[in-house]
Amino acid sequence: MDFLAGNMGWIEVVCGPMFSGKSEELIRRLRRAIIARRRVQVFKPVLDDRYSKDEIVSHSEQRIASTVVSGAAEILSVLDWRTQVVGIDEANFMGPGLVDVCGQLADSGKRVIVAGLDTDYMGRPFPPIPDLLAMAESITKTLAICMRCGNPAKQTQRLFASEDLIVVGAAGMYEARCRACFEAGTSKQEYFPFARPQRQEGG
Ligand code: ADP
Ligand code: ZN
C-alpha cells in the first residue's frame, strides 16, 4: 500500500473521532514516505493552530512540519509540483473544495493522505469527509477509547454548550465516546448542573 508503482496517484483517508490517532497515523505514513525518499508536503488549515503554527502535533506529542493554508484552494497554489506525497490534516476544516483538490492531486500522480473527523459533535457526517471517502482508494477508520466506559469510541463528545459546527478545542472541551455513551450535542448531566431538575426543598 505504501509505495505505488509508476506515476499513479491515489487518495487515502484516515477518519474517526478526536483522540483516535488520526494525526499519529498520518504522521506515521508521512515519515515512512520520507524514509523512502519521496518528496513530501504537509498541510493543515489555518483554523487549527492550537499547538503549533508550522507543525502537525498529535495528542501524543508526535509532530511533523506542515504548511498552514486558508482552505483547500490554497493547497494548489502553494504546492511544489515535484511533490510526490501530500499529507492533509484536519481535513474537515478545509472546506468543500477539498474533494476536487484531492482528485486533481491524485490525477496528477500524487499520493494524497487525508486525515479528518468523519462526524461532528452531533454525530452527523462532517463534510467534505463523506464525499472524500467515496472518492478514495483506501479508507482507514480509527477508533478512540470511550472516556465513560472504555469501549471503542467512534463519537466526538462536546463538553461545552455551543451550536456552532466548528469550535476548535482539545482536551477538556471534547472527549471520545462510544455509541452507547455518546450524547448528541452537549453532555449536559456532568457539565451543566443548572440543567438538572431542581430538587424541591421542604414541602
Ligand atoms: P486525533 O488526530 O485522532 O485527534 P491524535 O493522533 O492526535 O488523535 O492522538 C492520539 C493519541 O491521543 C493516542 O495515542 C493517545 O496517546 C491519546 N489519547 C488521549 N485520549 C484518548 C482516548 N480517549 N482514546 C485514545 N487515545 C487517547
Ligand atoms: Zn462508552
Side-chain angles (χ1 to χ4, degrees):
M1 270 233 326
D2 271 347
F3 307 113
L4 299 164
N7 293 325
M8 200 188 87
W10 78 0
I11 301 173
E12 296 165 35
V13 180
V14 178
C15 66
M18 281 181 72
F19 307 103
S20 63
K22 300 183 299 298
S23 299
E24 276 176 0
E25 179 60 19
L26 176 66
I27 292 167
R28 188 186 76 87
R29 293 184 192 187
L30 293 170
R31 285 207 179 126
R32 288 169 59 88
I34 292 166
I35 291 169
R37 299 212 174 87
R38 300 298 190 269
R39 286 172 174 273
V40 173
Q41 263 185 294
V42 189
F43 300 97
K44 68 173 191 174
V46 65
L47 218 58
D48 186 15
D49 57 2
R50 280 171 284 179
Y51 308 110
S52 169
K53 288 207 185 305
D54 53 5
E55 285 176 316
I56 289 170
V57 185
S58 75
H59 291 109
S60 49
E61 287 291 318
Q62 296 194 44
R63 41 187 84 222
I64 194 166
S66 74
T67 304
V68 172
V69 291
S70 58
E74 199 184 333
I75 294 176
L76 294 181
S77 59
V78 299
L79 189 82
D80 177 341
W81 283 90
R82 294 169 300 178
T83 291
Q84 296 163 298
V85 179
V86 179
I88 302 172
D89 202 10
E90 309 287 356
N92 49 289
F93 297 153
M94 284 288 189
L98 186 67
V99 181
D100 272 354
V101 166
C102 289
Q104 285 182 49
L105 294 172
D107 287 345
S108 64
K110 302 184 193 314
R111 176 181 172 205
V112 186
I113 314 174
V114 188
L117 294 171
D118 53 356
T119 60
D120 67 13
Y121 75 107
M122 295 293 289
R124 300 170 297 206
F126 205 147
I129 305 299
D131 285 359
L132 263 177
L133 294 175
M135 302 301 174
E137 272 84 1
S138 157
I139 300 167
T140 302
K141 181 139 175 171
T142 49
L143 298 175
I145 304 296
C146 176
M147 295 307 282
R148 275 274 178 87
C149 75
N151 276 319
K154 74 175 180 82
Q155 307 284 13
T156 302
Q157 178 72 57
R158 184 175 276 186
L159 301 175
F160 58 96
S162 168
E163 287 176 11
D164 295 337
L165 174 61
I166 297 175
V167 181
V168 175
M173 292 171 74
Y174 294 95
E175 71 182 23
R177 294 269 183 97
C178 73
R179 171 188 295 279
C181 298
F182 176 64
E183 299 160 78
T186 309
S187 179
K188 295 190 178 60
Q189 302 89 313
E190 272 178 286
Y191 292 87
F192 301 103
F194 55 82
R196 287 190 193 134
Q198 296 293 312
R199 189 170 288 162
Q200 298 290 318
E201 299 292 336

